[in-house]
Amino acid sequence: MATITKIALGKNGPLVSKLGLGCMRMSSAWSSPVKDEDESIATIRMALDSGIDFLNTGDFYGYGHNELLVGKAIKGRRDDAFLSVKFGGIIYGGQFRGLDLRPLSIKNFINYSLVRLGVETIDLYQPCRLDNAVPVEDVIGTVADLIKEGKVRYLGVSEINAAQLRKAHSIYPVTALEIGYSLADREIERELLPTAKELGIAVVAFANTAEGLLTGELKAPVPANDYRNHFTRFQGENLIKNLEKVEALRTMAQEKGYTPAQLAIAWVNAQGDDIMPLVSMSRRSRLPENMRAMGITFTAEEMNTLNTHFAQGAIAGGTYLQR
């Protein structure tokens, strides 16, 4: 397995692993847990043993199950783990119902998270999104208060736009931005990514394989009960065109002796020392493959080929049905 290097999480942030472990898939994201807890815990511990210390979870994953699971995995190893926790998502009946970012709610959420995780401090705490129901000043200000109280170390934000990022950072220094980023999803390169770089904010990039589109394993049509049917890029002619695009990635992967998924992760990794690929895993067998992806390099010609073939807007259809 490749050696996992350390990067500074933001201009003035801590050193963390360049590869992050997303724990969401270890629990059923929007419903009761159905996964193999023992294997998930073993995966987290193997990741820690391998030098991956950045663990990402959310207090609403599996209605709190995910935090409980992470807490079990890091018991006795708190100093080995950097805990990134999202809050504010309201889940009911297996559906995302909206946000609750009221200051009193945030102060309640943090206490539940600390208990479930079995820790005294969360390293990176972030609203999962921002809306207009609660002023940004109140949301960010509340997390800043939690930092002063010693319950949180650093402020993060997730899935916001450039204007919101500037506003949040002006209220309290933002250490990291969590956002989707891949060869298939490059919208953040227009404004959000340059803003983060300008402000010295690290980018924690999830969905590196674009919900499996870039793995080279997806076939059309997707099964009727597949959650990806909610995304227009996985529907009808859009999916057929997008899979044709992925063939170029598959060809390059074969030539280099890797999988398309590994190249997709490697491309994100190559975008800068301030960008961390956040890869969701729930099985130990996935760790060596994903760690090897961090050692892949591209020639200038290969990078140009990927950037040209997967230019902004090259993938047909949006992420969500309403887009």
Short mmCIF file of all heavy atoms in Angstrom, two decimals, residues 10-11 157 161-162 165-166 169 174-179 188 191-204 274-275:
data_model
loop_
_atom_site.label_atom_id
_atom_site.label_comp_id
_atom_site.label_asym_id
_atom_site.label_seq_id
_atom_site.Cartn_x
_atom_site.Cartn_y
_atom_site.Cartn_z
N GLY A 10 -5.97 23.56 5.63
CA GLY A 10 -6.14 25.01 5.60
C GLY A 10 -4.85 25.73 5.95
O GLY A 10 -3.86 25.12 6.36
N LYS A 11 -4.87 27.04 5.78
CA LYS A 11 -3.67 27.86 5.96
C LYS A 11 -3.09 27.75 7.37
O LYS A 11 -1.88 27.68 7.54
CB LYS A 11 -4.02 29.32 5.65
CG LYS A 11 -2.85 30.28 5.72
CD LYS A 11 -3.21 31.63 5.12
CE LYS A 11 -4.42 32.24 5.80
NZ LYS A 11 -4.72 33.60 5.26
N VAL A 157 -17.25 23.99 6.84
CA VAL A 157 -18.53 24.24 6.16
C VAL A 157 -18.68 23.19 5.07
O VAL A 157 -17.70 22.58 4.63
CB VAL A 157 -18.62 25.66 5.56
CG1 VAL A 157 -18.69 26.70 6.67
CG2 VAL A 157 -17.43 25.94 4.64
N ASN A 161 -21.98 27.93 -1.38
CA ASN A 161 -21.44 28.64 -2.53
C ASN A 161 -20.35 29.61 -2.12
O ASN A 161 -20.05 29.77 -0.93
CB ASN A 161 -22.56 29.34 -3.31
CG ASN A 161 -23.30 30.36 -2.46
OD1 ASN A 161 -22.71 31.09 -1.66
ND2 ASN A 161 -24.62 30.42 -2.64
N ALA A 162 -19.76 30.26 -3.10
CA ALA A 162 -18.60 31.13 -2.84
C ALA A 162 -18.98 32.31 -1.94
O ALA A 162 -18.21 32.68 -1.04
CB ALA A 162 -18.02 31.63 -4.16
N LEU A 165 -19.30 31.15 1.54
CA LEU A 165 -17.98 30.83 2.10
C LEU A 165 -17.28 32.10 2.57
O LEU A 165 -16.70 32.13 3.66
CB LEU A 165 -17.13 30.10 1.05
CG LEU A 165 -15.74 29.65 1.51
CD1 LEU A 165 -15.83 28.68 2.68
CD2 LEU A 165 -14.97 29.00 0.35
N ARG A 166 -17.34 33.13 1.75
CA ARG A 166 -16.72 34.41 2.15
C ARG A 166 -17.38 34.96 3.41
O ARG A 166 -16.71 35.46 4.32
CB ARG A 166 -16.84 35.42 1.02
CG ARG A 166 -15.90 35.18 -0.14
CD ARG A 166 -15.90 36.36 -1.10
NE ARG A 166 -15.05 36.10 -2.25
CZ ARG A 166 -13.73 36.24 -2.25
NH1 ARG A 166 -13.11 36.64 -1.14
NH2 ARG A 166 -13.03 35.99 -3.34
N HIS A 169 -16.39 32.88 6.47
CA HIS A 169 -14.98 33.10 6.82
C HIS A 169 -14.76 34.47 7.45
O HIS A 169 -13.84 34.66 8.26
CB HIS A 169 -14.11 32.94 5.58
CG HIS A 169 -12.64 32.87 5.86
ND1 HIS A 169 -12.06 31.82 6.51
CD2 HIS A 169 -11.64 33.74 5.55
CE1 HIS A 169 -10.75 32.03 6.60
NE2 HIS A 169 -10.47 33.19 6.03
N VAL A 174 -12.66 29.83 8.61
CA VAL A 174 -13.05 28.49 8.16
C VAL A 174 -11.79 27.70 7.84
O VAL A 174 -10.93 28.17 7.09
CB VAL A 174 -13.97 28.57 6.93
CG1 VAL A 174 -14.27 27.16 6.40
CG2 VAL A 174 -15.25 29.32 7.26
N THR A 175 -11.70 26.50 8.37
CA THR A 175 -10.53 25.66 8.14
C THR A 175 -10.69 24.79 6.90
O THR A 175 -9.74 24.61 6.14
CB THR A 175 -10.26 24.77 9.36
OG1 THR A 175 -9.93 25.62 10.48
CG2 THR A 175 -9.11 23.80 9.12
N ALA A 176 -11.90 24.24 6.69
CA ALA A 176 -12.08 23.31 5.57
C ALA A 176 -13.48 23.43 4.98
O ALA A 176 -14.46 23.69 5.69
CB ALA A 176 -11.83 21.88 6.04
N LEU A 177 -13.55 23.23 3.67
CA LEU A 177 -14.80 23.18 2.93
C LEU A 177 -15.00 21.77 2.41
O LEU A 177 -14.15 21.25 1.68
CB LEU A 177 -14.74 24.16 1.75
CG LEU A 177 -15.76 23.95 0.62
CD1 LEU A 177 -17.18 24.27 1.10
CD2 LEU A 177 -15.40 24.80 -0.60
N GLU A 178 -16.11 21.14 2.76
CA GLU A 178 -16.43 19.81 2.24
C GLU A 178 -17.40 19.98 1.08
O GLU A 178 -18.46 20.59 1.22
CB GLU A 178 -17.06 18.93 3.33
CG GLU A 178 -17.34 17.52 2.88
CD GLU A 178 -17.95 16.66 3.98
OE1 GLU A 178 -17.60 16.87 5.16
OE2 GLU A 178 -18.78 15.78 3.66
N ILE A 179 -17.03 19.42 -0.07
CA ILE A 179 -17.83 19.64 -1.29
C ILE A 179 -17.59 18.50 -2.28
O ILE A 179 -16.52 17.89 -2.29
CB ILE A 179 -17.44 21.00 -1.94
CG1 ILE A 179 -18.50 21.46 -2.94
CG2 ILE A 179 -16.06 20.95 -2.53
CD1 ILE A 179 -19.71 22.07 -2.30
N ILE A 188 -17.24 23.55 -9.16
CA ILE A 188 -16.60 24.37 -8.13
C ILE A 188 -15.36 25.09 -8.66
O ILE A 188 -14.87 26.03 -8.04
CB ILE A 188 -16.22 23.54 -6.89
CG1 ILE A 188 -15.07 22.57 -7.19
CG2 ILE A 188 -17.42 22.83 -6.32
CD1 ILE A 188 -14.50 21.93 -5.93
N GLU A 191 -15.86 29.25 -9.39
CA GLU A 191 -15.79 30.31 -8.39
C GLU A 191 -15.45 29.79 -7.00
O GLU A 191 -14.66 30.41 -6.28
CB GLU A 191 -17.13 31.06 -8.35
CG GLU A 191 -17.12 32.30 -7.47
CD GLU A 191 -18.41 33.07 -7.53
OE1 GLU A 191 -19.38 32.58 -8.17
OE2 GLU A 191 -18.48 34.17 -6.94
N LEU A 192 -16.05 28.68 -6.60
CA LEU A 192 -15.90 28.22 -5.22
C LEU A 192 -14.48 27.78 -4.90
O LEU A 192 -13.91 28.16 -3.87
CB LEU A 192 -16.88 27.07 -4.95
CG LEU A 192 -16.95 26.56 -3.52
CD1 LEU A 192 -17.27 27.68 -2.54
CD2 LEU A 192 -18.00 25.45 -3.40
N LEU A 193 -13.87 27.00 -5.78
CA LEU A 193 -12.51 26.53 -5.55
C LEU A 193 -11.50 27.68 -5.53
O LEU A 193 -10.66 27.74 -4.61
CB LEU A 193 -12.12 25.48 -6.59
CG LEU A 193 -10.76 24.79 -6.41
CD1 LEU A 193 -10.65 24.14 -5.04
CD2 LEU A 193 -10.54 23.74 -7.51
N PRO A 194 -11.55 28.63 -6.48
CA PRO A 194 -10.65 29.77 -6.38
C PRO A 194 -10.84 30.58 -5.11
O PRO A 194 -9.87 31.10 -4.54
CB PRO A 194 -11.00 30.60 -7.63
CG PRO A 194 -11.57 29.60 -8.59
CD PRO A 194 -12.31 28.62 -7.74
N THR A 195 -12.08 30.69 -4.65
CA THR A 195 -12.35 31.42 -3.41
C THR A 195 -11.71 30.73 -2.22
O THR A 195 -11.09 31.37 -1.36
CB THR A 195 -13.86 31.58 -3.19
OG1 THR A 195 -14.44 32.29 -4.28
CG2 THR A 195 -14.15 32.32 -1.89
N ALA A 196 -11.87 29.40 -2.15
CA ALA A 196 -11.27 28.65 -1.06
C ALA A 196 -9.75 28.79 -1.06
O ALA A 196 -9.13 28.98 -0.01
CB ALA A 196 -11.67 27.17 -1.17
N LYS A 197 -9.15 28.72 -2.24
CA LYS A 197 -7.69 28.87 -2.35
C LYS A 197 -7.26 30.26 -1.91
O LYS A 197 -6.26 30.42 -1.20
CB LYS A 197 -7.24 28.58 -3.78
CG LYS A 197 -7.33 27.11 -4.18
CD LYS A 197 -6.86 26.91 -5.61
CE LYS A 197 -6.89 25.44 -6.02
NZ LYS A 197 -5.87 24.64 -5.30
N GLU A 198 -8.00 31.26 -2.34
CA GLU A 198 -7.68 32.64 -1.97
C GLU A 198 -7.70 32.84 -0.46
O GLU A 198 -6.84 33.53 0.11
CB GLU A 198 -8.67 33.59 -2.63
CG GLU A 198 -8.53 35.04 -2.19
CD GLU A 198 -9.74 35.87 -2.58
OE1 GLU A 198 -10.44 35.51 -3.55
OE2 GLU A 198 -9.99 36.88 -1.89
N LEU A 199 -8.67 32.23 0.20
CA LEU A 199 -8.85 32.41 1.63
C LEU A 199 -8.02 31.44 2.46
O LEU A 199 -8.00 31.54 3.70
CB LEU A 199 -10.33 32.24 1.99
CG LEU A 199 -11.30 33.24 1.34
CD1 LEU A 199 -12.74 32.89 1.68
CD2 LEU A 199 -10.97 34.66 1.76
N GLY A 200 -7.32 30.51 1.81
CA GLY A 200 -6.49 29.56 2.53
C GLY A 200 -7.30 28.48 3.22
O GLY A 200 -6.93 28.00 4.30
N ILE A 201 -8.39 28.06 2.58
CA ILE A 201 -9.29 27.05 3.14
C ILE A 201 -9.08 25.74 2.39
O ILE A 201 -9.11 25.70 1.16
CB ILE A 201 -10.75 27.50 3.01
CG1 ILE A 201 -10.98 28.79 3.82
CG2 ILE A 201 -11.70 26.40 3.46
CD1 ILE A 201 -12.32 29.45 3.56
N ALA A 202 -8.87 24.66 3.14
CA ALA A 202 -8.68 23.35 2.52
C ALA A 202 -10.00 22.83 1.95
O ALA A 202 -11.08 23.19 2.43
CB ALA A 202 -8.15 22.36 3.54
N VAL A 203 -9.91 22.01 0.93
CA VAL A 203 -11.10 21.40 0.31
C VAL A 203 -11.09 19.91 0.58
O VAL A 203 -10.14 19.20 0.23
CB VAL A 203 -11.13 21.67 -1.21
CG1 VAL A 203 -12.27 20.90 -1.86
CG2 VAL A 203 -11.28 23.15 -1.48
N VAL A 204 -12.14 19.44 1.23
CA VAL A 204 -12.35 18.01 1.47
C VAL A 204 -13.34 17.55 0.41
O VAL A 204 -14.53 17.88 0.47
CB VAL A 204 -12.89 17.76 2.89
CG1 VAL A 204 -13.15 16.27 3.11
CG2 VAL A 204 -11.90 18.29 3.94
N ASP A 274 -3.83 21.31 -1.16
CA ASP A 274 -4.90 21.81 -0.30
C ASP A 274 -6.22 21.10 -0.56
O ASP A 274 -7.27 21.54 -0.08
CB ASP A 274 -5.08 23.32 -0.50
CG ASP A 274 -5.26 23.69 -1.98
OD1 ASP A 274 -5.09 22.81 -2.84
OD2 ASP A 274 -5.55 24.88 -2.25
N ILE A 275 -6.17 20.00 -1.31
CA ILE A 275 -7.37 19.23 -1.63
C ILE A 275 -7.21 17.80 -1.16
O ILE A 275 -6.23 17.12 -1.51
CB ILE A 275 -7.67 19.27 -3.14
CG1 ILE A 275 -7.98 20.71 -3.57
CG2 ILE A 275 -8.85 18.34 -3.48
CD1 ILE A 275 -8.27 20.86 -5.04
#
